[in-house]
């Protein structure tokens, strides 16, 4: 769907469908150069990363394999706590693999720093991170993110896989959720 289907629920469109597509193409060229000849394992973090994964994987001119993890960072509504629980683990053995974690957004970075340590402990040859979006607070956590799509302001965004109460994931662009949608005003 596009923003006309959620009229009045967003304050602005932050990133358009075309901008996402162009940026993923740029990142794909970097990844192809960095992983030439490698059989990359893309690890998507459910559910938010489904759209990035689907579009990135198809844009890449590399033979990749895909796997998925679902984690829940405790905390409700719009804040994460850093306490992470695995809801669905990977099916793949990571030993000797070149792993690229595919994320939708890094906010505090707590979820990702836990995930990075967890995957590194499984003996892969390398683990790098790609995130479509990064918020300013992520700078406070020492997580080395190899590929960043867009640096965005500290606002709650939805669309392109990102949800609020499971809604808006199928919005083709990325927009700022209007505060009246979550603060009860
Ligand atoms: P941390 O803070 O651990 O959190 O980096 C990352 C996870 O928090 C969610 N998150 C968001 N989800 N719009 C969303 O739809 C946002 O603006 C937002 N900020 C953080 C998301 O699940 C992400 O994986
Ligand atoms: Mg979410």
């Amino acid at each position: 769907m596009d923003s006309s289907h959620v009229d009045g629920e967003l304050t602005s469109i932050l990133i358009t469908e075309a901008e996402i597509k162009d940026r993923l193409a740029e990142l794909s060229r970097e990844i192809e150069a960095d992983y030439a000849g490698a059989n990359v394992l893309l690890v998507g973090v459910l559910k938010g990363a489904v759209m990035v994964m689907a579009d990135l994987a198809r844009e890449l001119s590399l033979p990749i394999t895909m796997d998925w993890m679902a984690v829940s960072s405790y905390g409700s509504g719009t804040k994460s706590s850093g306490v992470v629980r695995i809801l669905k683990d990977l099916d793949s053995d990571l030993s000797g693999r070149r792993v690229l974690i595919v994320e939708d957004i890094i906010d505090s970075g707590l979820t990702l720093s836990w995930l990075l340590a967890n995957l590194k402990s499984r003996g892969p040859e390398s683990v790098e991170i790609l995130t479509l979006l990064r918020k300013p607070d992520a700078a406070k956590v020492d997580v080395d993110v190899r590929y960043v799509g867009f640096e965005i302001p500290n606002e709650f965004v939805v669309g392109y896989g990102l949800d609020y109460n499971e809604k808006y994931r199928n919005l083709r662009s990325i927009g700022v959720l209007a505060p009246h949608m979550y603060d009860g005003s």
Side-chain angles (χ1 to χ4, degrees):
M1 65 180 179
D2 60 43
S3 54
S4 69
H5 299 103
V6 288
D7 202 23
E9 298 174 31
L10 307 177
T11 49
S12 64
I13 296 296
L14 202 58
I15 308 171
T16 64
E17 187 181 5
E19 287 167 337
I20 297 169
K21 188 176 192 312
D22 289 351
R23 187 68 186 120
L24 287 181
E26 288 174 357
L27 291 176
S28 293
R29 303 296 85 80
E30 285 184 44
I31 294 166
E32 288 158 8
D34 294 347
Y35 290 87
N39 181 359
V40 184
L41 174 63
L42 299 179
V43 170
V45 185
L46 293 169
K47 305 173 192 166
V50 286
M51 303 299 178
V52 196
M53 180 71 126
D55 286 341
L56 177 78
R58 284 179 294 182
E59 180 62 32
L60 281 171
S61 299
L62 276 181
I64 58 97
T65 50
M66 256 182 231
D67 205 344
W68 299 92
M69 251 181 118
V71 297
S72 103
S73 49
Y74 286 106
S76 55
T78 61
K79 276 267 170 287
S80 99
S81 68
V83 183
V84 179
R85 187 164 55 110
I86 295 179
L87 303 177
K88 185 226 169 282
D89 206 345
L90 299 173
D91 299 324
S92 328
D93 180 355
L94 297 193
S95 53
R97 300 299 306 271
R98 298 199 58 192
V99 177
L100 181 59
I101 299 173
V102 177
E103 260 285 26
D104 51 350
I105 188 165
I106 307 177
D107 185 359
S108 71
L110 292 170
T111 309
L112 204 57
S113 88
W114 179 91
L115 189 62
L116 189 62
N118 183 287
L119 297 193
K120 278 184 171 168
S121 74
R122 306 183 192 193
E125 183 184 322
S126 65
V127 186
E128 300 286 355
I129 299 161
L130 176 149
T131 185
L132 183 67
L133 308 174
R134 185 164 65 182
K135 287 186 175 180
D137 280 351
K140 293 177 198 158
V141 180
D142 189 22
V143 183
D144 191 22
V145 182
R146 181 82 181 77
Y147 310 97
V148 178
F150 302 91
E151 304 282 355
I152 64 164
N154 204 5
E155 289 181 283
F156 197 81
V157 295
V158 293
Y160 198 72
L162 290 151
D163 72 305
Y164 178 67
N165 286 345
E166 297 300 323
K167 198 177 165 189
Y168 308 108
R169 291 195 199 274
N170 65 326
L171 178 64
R172 286 197 291 258
S173 52
I174 293 170
V176 177
L177 188 63
H180 72 83
M181 296 305 297
Y182 56 84
D183 69 6
S185 65

